Protein backbone atom coordinates (compact mmCIF):
# COMPACT_ATOMS: atom_id res chain seq x y z
CA UNK A 1 0.00 0.00 0.00
CA UNK A 2 1.39 3.40 -0.95
CA UNK A 3 1.12 6.43 1.28
CA UNK A 4 -0.55 9.64 0.17
CA UNK A 5 1.51 12.83 0.57
CA UNK A 6 0.14 15.06 3.32
CA UNK A 7 0.40 18.57 1.88
CA UNK A 8 -1.95 19.59 -0.96
CA UNK A 9 0.79 20.52 -3.46
CA UNK A 10 2.61 17.22 -3.05
CA UNK A 11 -0.70 15.34 -3.40
CA UNK A 12 -1.45 17.22 -6.62
CA UNK A 13 2.02 16.47 -7.97
CA UNK A 14 2.38 12.84 -6.89
CA UNK A 15 -0.91 11.16 -6.03
CA UNK A 16 -2.44 8.65 -8.37
CA UNK A 17 -6.10 8.80 -9.15
CA UNK A 18 -8.76 8.01 -11.65
CA UNK A 19 -8.17 8.68 -14.45
CA UNK A 20 -4.44 8.18 -13.95
CA UNK A 21 -2.38 11.30 -14.62
CA UNK A 22 1.20 11.31 -15.82
CA UNK A 23 3.70 13.07 -13.58
CA UNK A 24 5.10 16.43 -14.60
CA UNK A 25 8.77 16.63 -15.55
CA UNK A 26 10.90 16.84 -12.37
CA UNK A 27 12.14 20.33 -13.19
CA UNK A 28 8.54 21.58 -13.39
CA UNK A 29 7.56 19.90 -10.12
CA UNK A 30 10.58 21.45 -8.38
CA UNK A 31 9.73 24.88 -9.77
CA UNK A 32 6.16 24.60 -8.49
CA UNK A 33 7.42 23.53 -5.06
CA UNK A 34 10.02 26.31 -4.87
CA UNK A 35 7.39 28.92 -5.74
CA UNK A 36 4.84 27.51 -3.31
CA UNK A 37 2.39 27.17 -6.18
CA UNK A 38 -1.26 26.38 -5.47
CA UNK A 39 -2.16 22.70 -5.59
CA UNK A 40 -4.90 23.50 -8.11
CA UNK A 41 -2.26 24.78 -10.58
CA UNK A 42 -0.21 21.58 -10.22
CA UNK A 43 -3.31 19.43 -10.73
CA UNK A 44 -4.30 21.45 -13.80
CA UNK A 45 -0.83 21.13 -15.31
CA UNK A 46 -0.84 17.36 -14.77
CA UNK A 47 -4.22 17.14 -16.48
CA UNK A 48 -3.27 19.18 -19.57
CA UNK A 49 0.45 18.31 -19.92
CA UNK A 50 -0.06 15.24 -22.17
CA UNK A 51 -2.19 17.28 -24.57
CA UNK A 52 0.45 19.99 -24.82
CA UNK A 53 2.99 17.36 -25.81
CA UNK A 54 0.53 15.99 -28.38
CA UNK A 55 0.06 19.43 -29.93
CA UNK A 56 3.80 20.04 -30.13
CA UNK A 57 4.54 16.65 -31.69
CA UNK A 58 1.73 16.66 -34.24
CA UNK A 59 1.48 20.34 -35.18
CA UNK A 60 3.54 19.92 -38.34
Amino acid sequence: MTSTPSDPLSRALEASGEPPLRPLPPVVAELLRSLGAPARLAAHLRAVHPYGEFVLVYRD
Side-chain angles (χ1 to χ4, degrees):
M1 184 167 148
T2 61
S3 64
T4 302
S6 59
D7 69 283
L9 181 57
S10 290
R11 274 198 314 270
L13 288 169
E14 301 167 13
S16 59
E18 197 57 43
L21 298 174
R22 292 178 35 203
L24 291 172
V27 67
V28 175
E30 273 307 307
L31 176 63
L32 293 172
R33 284 189 175 101
S34 71
L35 294 173
R40 184 176 281 185
L41 174 60
H44 170 79
L45 292 174
R46 281 188 68 192
V48 302
H49 177 66
Y51 300 103
E53 285 182 331
F54 176 81
V55 169
L56 289 175
V57 169
Y58 293 102
R59 70 180 170 158
D60 292 329

